[in-house]
Amino acid sequence: MEIDEFASKVIAEKNKCITDEIFLMIQNDPVLMREYLRLIEEHKLNPVNMKIGKEIKKAYNLTNEQSRNEKPRSTLIKSYQEFE
């Protein structure tokens, strides 16, 4: 395996779980968590989580994979779209 192939493989794996990792970051940071909870109060859970997911996709220029992960580590989400 070449270095660039390995790097691409690792990045692809990261892309699959990046949404979960960002929600874990929110969950584990008291300041971000307070802001997140305020947004949920104002806009409801699903719209906030969906918008965060769309912004992740846009920020990293990702495309949807065929599958969703139904077992996130973050307790803030029930599932998430995996990206390529």
Side-chain angles (χ1 to χ4, degrees), residues 25-63:
M25 186 176 70
I26 294 167
Q27 178 179 316
N28 293 323
D29 183 301
V31 173
L32 292 175
M33 188 63 180
R34 271 194 305 277
E35 292 173 10
Y36 174 78
L37 291 172
R38 282 189 201 117
L39 287 170
I40 288 174
E41 267 184 48
E42 188 175 334
H43 301 283
K44 306 287 184 203
L45 179 68
N46 285 341
V48 171
N49 286 356
M50 286 173 50
K51 182 65 174 173
I52 292 170
K54 287 178 183 178
E55 290 300 316
I56 293 166
K57 180 179 177 179
K58 186 171 119 182
Y60 292 96
N61 197 29
L62 301 169
T63 56

Side-chain angles (χ1 to χ4, degrees), residues 65-78:
E65 249 195 13
Q66 294 279 340
S67 60
R68 291 185 66 79
N69 185 307
E70 302 292 334
K71 295 183 179 181
R73 293 178 295 150
S74 172
T75 58
L76 302 179
I77 52 178
K78 293 181 182 176

